[in-house]
Amino acid sequence: QVQLVESGGGLVQPGGSLRLSCVSSVNIFSYATMGWYRQAPGKQRELVATITSHGDPNYADSVKGRFTISRDVAKNTVYLQMNSLKPEDTAVYYCHGRLLALELWGQGTLVTVSS
């Protein structure tokens, strides 16, 4: 059974940085598209970033230039490096993986950007 386990959320000040990690129980990154979503209070879940099985990243306009998605295939881990954080980045962040008909979600990790 493939599972995604997230870590790295927490409280950070505006302008600060945080790195989220998502570990897969099975190495699927050579075949799957991985991504990060977030859901702010009272809002729908939105796509933040994706990285394809070939390592090509894509970003939502709201995070371009500030966030970086990357992966370490050997460690079965995908990262989201978040810099220049803003209060509006506050949300529960979810790791996501898609492989053919299989869709995986992490449990979510809360990121709070506040002074």
Side-chain angles (χ1 to χ4, degrees):
Q1 182 86 318
V2 180
Q3 291 183 309
L4 303 177
V5 180
E6 296 174 301
S7 63
L11 176 64
V12 64
Q13 294 184 347
S17 298
L18 209 60
R19 188 177 76 164
L20 306 182
S21 299
C22 172
V23 180
S24 173
S25 59
V26 178
N27 190 341
I28 61 171
F29 298 156
S30 294
Y31 314 98
T33 295
M34 306 300 299
W36 289 93
Y37 290 73
R38 68 185 181 187
Q39 188 166 19
K43 295 186 176 181
Q44 294 184 337
R45 191 171 300 184
E46 65 174 344
L47 178 65
V48 176
T50 62
I51 185 165
T52 71
S53 60
H54 297 289
D56 298 321
N58 294 100
Y59 301 95
D61 289 339
S62 59
V63 306
K64 284 182 179 178
R66 300 189 298 120
F67 290 11
T68 302
I69 188 171
S70 62
R71 64 180 185 173
D72 187 330
V73 176
K75 296 183 181 297
N76 301 327
T77 304
V78 61
Y79 304 96
L80 184 67
Q81 178 66 47
M82 304 184 293
N83 299 325
S84 302
L85 283 163
K86 306 174 181 178
E88 50 263 45
D89 294 318
T90 296
V92 177
Y93 285 72
Y94 298 91
C95 183
H96 176 262
R98 188 174 187 176
L99 175 61
L100 299 177
L102 179 64
E103 192 167 1
L104 306 170
W105 290 97
Q107 79 285 357
T109 185
L110 177 62
V111 173
T112 302
V113 184
S114 176
S115 59

